[in-house]
Amino acid sequence: MRRLLIGLTALAIVAPLTACGSTDSPGGRRDDGSAAITVGVIPIVDVAPIYLGEKQGFYRDRGIDLTLKTGQGGAAIVPGVISGQFQFGFSNVTSLLVAQANKVPVRAVANGGASTGRDGADFGGITVGKDSALKTAKDLAGRKVAVNTLKNIGDTSVRESVRKAGGDPDRVTFVELAFDQMAAALDSGQVDAAWAVEPALSTIKGRGGRVIASNFVDVAPDLTVALYFTSAEYARRNPELVEKFRAATKESLAYATGHPDEVREILTTYTRIPEATLRAMTLPHWPQEPNRASIETLAALGEKDGIFKSAPDPDELLP
Amino acid sequence: MTAAAPGPGVGSPPGTGQGSPSGTGAPLTDTAAPGPELGPGPRPQPELGPGPGKSLPGPSNALLGLAGILGFLVCWEAVSRAGAVSADFFPPASRVLRALASEAAEPAFWSALGDTLTGWALGLLIATAAALATGTVIAVVPYLREVTASTVEFLRPIPSVALIPLAVLLYGTDLRSTLLLVVYAAFWQVLVQVLHGVQDVDPVAEETARSYGLGTWARIRHLLWPTALPYVMTGVRLAAAVALILAVTAELVIGAPGLGSRIAVAQTSQAVPEMYALVVVTGLVGLLINLGARLVERRALFWHQSVRGEAAL
């Protein structure tokens, strides 16, 4: 009996290991010409163009069989692209610069989304509650400001707003809070201000909140906020496919810019933004090319704030 | 299953001196688990509500449960309407129930529910099978028990959610990521119970069985199995609840398809009533899973004193 049981144990230990081994091979990579690609996206407003482009057939026309997979934030998407679960991904510029500074080989392939560049009318901004005494970004010194992720594009751009308004950015306390909880946190006074993007921004405004600064606009007139990217290895091995994806994405960005109503319409398919908010929202801009100067500014600001372990090289990241 | 099978093993425990024979096992995490000393008296199920022994008649039990839920809904409605928190952020129950109704009309909701239940069921199945196999082997071979004891105690408290980066690296955002977390969490629940259950075999009965010439399989069938089964059932019931929690968490955090990712999308979309409606659904699913697990437990252990209750004594 004992021998039998030992044998069984050996089996129990080895079986899962071999099972691991068989699924360990990089999945999702199909280089046989069918060009089935998976893109990791976040279910937010910014990625509307790729949904639209998929619907319009911009990818199909170029022989790309596109699958969009939603993950929650960059935490799921950057590793997914690096491990080959997704061939392309969507992420904000600072996250990609952080990855690059950490020697994670990511390459931007197409523009993702950009600020509108209009002060007070951007798709994101620093907001305060209805009864707040704060008037400008300068007043944020010594206050508690909510951002969705610490050491990322939110706090680095809010610091820049404070700096430009003549305040001391080092005296701002940042707290991490999900966008969707910011309206409630402002109401109850848990934070003095919050950096919010749509649709949270519209919710806050709808409750009487005010935008006291447009932090993206303060960083650069036309800030590139997010990019579509791939891994360096995938880019090297599939240059034509990357080029096709870039072309299709450019067409999608242009189409989204020309058809804002269709953007709001497609949002109902992958988000659950309530009708009223959907109509009130400020959409981001979707230029076809990233604004290199603005990305360099973000890199410099991030360095100043100590976000990066080593200085990132925007030339390495950008196409 | 023949009711006579347990025979001397469980039906008439010697009560004295048996305790937990070697004491290698860690204390059970759950108070509802049958303790190491299966004394003659206490039922190993000090559960909420009337135990099966002094059970009220079925229908009134269900009625009481319903009354509890109704009471909860009334409190919820009152708290929200009293303005303790803004109704925009914590909508009253009636609004959430309306959202629930419109939710149920959408096919996407049902496929999300299906995804969650698939992750739950598959994960629970894999974890239970793996834990039964490993647990039995480890428990029967004393040497293995010593070798693995500290490892099990080291791995068991690691929160499954800590494995999320690993899951995403290996499997991206699909079902397999959910499964990794679910299996990891549920496995230990069952394993620990199996270890205790197998150890609980009455040595006197074991000796008796040997001296009567029962073979390995007969001893497993008539001695080990009936002794361990109550433990295993407890483990599976606990694992069923944990598996659901982890399935929803994985979907919520990673974005794997299911109720959890639907909750996350509702959250980021500022669709507050819809979000609470989905949260209510996960609660309901948990309730049904618990009811089902208890039903299975009662069926599988109909011969056991914990189920037969006082009548058996």
Side-chain angles (χ1 to χ4, degrees), chain B residues 160-164 167 176-186 246-247 249-251 254:
Chain B
S160 212
V161 287
L163 303 177
I164 282 176
R176 289 170 301 170
S177 288
T178 308
L179 279 182
L180 181 76
L181 303 200
V182 171
V183 170
Y184 190 88
L246 263 299
T249 308
E251 295 158 3
I254 301 174

Side-chain angles (χ1 to χ4, degrees), chain B:
Chain B
M1 171 184 287
T2 47
V10 177
S12 57
T16 53
Q18 193 199 344
S20 70
S22 62
T24 50
L28 294 174
T29 41
D30 186 73
T31 48
E37 47 279 313
L38 260 183
R43 283 182 303 279
Q45 277 193 313
E47 288 282 342
L48 277 174
K54 50 177 176 186
S55 69
L56 300 163
S60 74
N61 229 346
L63 276 181
L64 280 176
L66 268 181
I69 289 183
L70 273 179
F72 170 74
L73 288 177
V74 168
C75 285
W76 175 1
E77 186 82 16
V79 165
S80 183
R81 291 215 179 266
V85 280
S86 160
D88 282 354
F89 305 130
F90 187 58
S94 51
R95 236 178 109 200
V96 170
L97 291 181
R98 267 206 308 282
L100 185 58
S102 60
E103 195 68 36
E106 284 187 46
F109 163 76
W110 294 102
S111 74
L113 181 64
D115 284 334
T116 299
L117 288 179
T118 309
W120 167 79
L122 263 180
L124 185 62
L125 198 73
I126 296 171
T128 305
L132 273 178
T134 358
T136 313
V137 174
I138 291 177
V140 171
V141 185
Y143 169 72
L144 273 178
R145 208 187 304 149
E146 318 263 302
V147 170
T148 55
S150 51
T151 315
V152 168
E153 287 314 306
F154 166 70
L155 291 174
R156 195 159 67 101
I158 294 177
S160 212
V161 287
L163 303 177
I164 282 176
L166 178 70
V168 173
L169 266 182
L170 286 175
Y171 305 124
T173 63
D174 63 21
L175 174 68
R176 289 170 301 170
S177 288
T178 308
L179 279 182
L180 181 76
L181 303 200
V182 171
V183 170
Y184 190 88
F187 175 77
W188 305 110
Q189 301 278 348
V190 183
L191 180 76
V192 170
Q193 294 294 336
V194 172
L195 292 181
H196 284 284
V198 174
Q199 248 173 280
D200 197 42
V201 172
D202 181 1
V204 178
E206 168 80 12
E207 286 310 311
T208 313
R210 273 181 200 278
S211 63
Y212 274 93
L214 265 71
T216 303
W217 291 115
R219 290 208 309 281
I220 288 181
R221 166 77 184 81
H222 296 293
L223 202 61
L224 196 148
W225 177 246
T227 308
L229 194 60
Y231 288 87
V232 174
M233 280 299 157
T234 304
V236 171
R237 178 162 49 79
L238 297 175
V242 168
L244 178 70
I245 294 172
L246 263 299
V248 175
T249 308
E251 295 158 3
L252 194 61
V253 179
I254 301 174
L259 287 176
S261 68
R262 211 169 155 78
I263 291 176
V265 169
Q267 265 175 6
T268 51
S269 299
Q270 307 274 308
V272 180
E274 286 79 5
M275 185 202 82
Y276 279 107
L278 290 163
V279 171
V280 166
V281 171
T282 58
L284 287 177
V285 172
L287 182 72
L288 290 178
I289 282 175
N290 191 267
L291 282 177
R294 294 238 222 143
L295 193 72
V296 170
E297 196 175 14
R298 214 166 302 161
R299 284 276 165 81
L301 299 178
F302 69 95
W303 47 268
H304 193 267
Q305 59 169 347
S306 67
V307 172
R308 284 191 297 171
E310 264 106 24
L313 300 176

Side-chain angles (χ1 to χ4, degrees), chain A residues 155-165 169 215 218-219 297 301 304:
Chain A
D155 49 355
T156 199
S157 56
V158 170
R159 276 199 195 91
E160 181 63 4
S161 280
V162 176
R163 210 174 278 133
K164 284 213 160 159
N215 45 328
D218 286 334
V219 171
T297 309
L301 287 178
K304 204 183 289 181

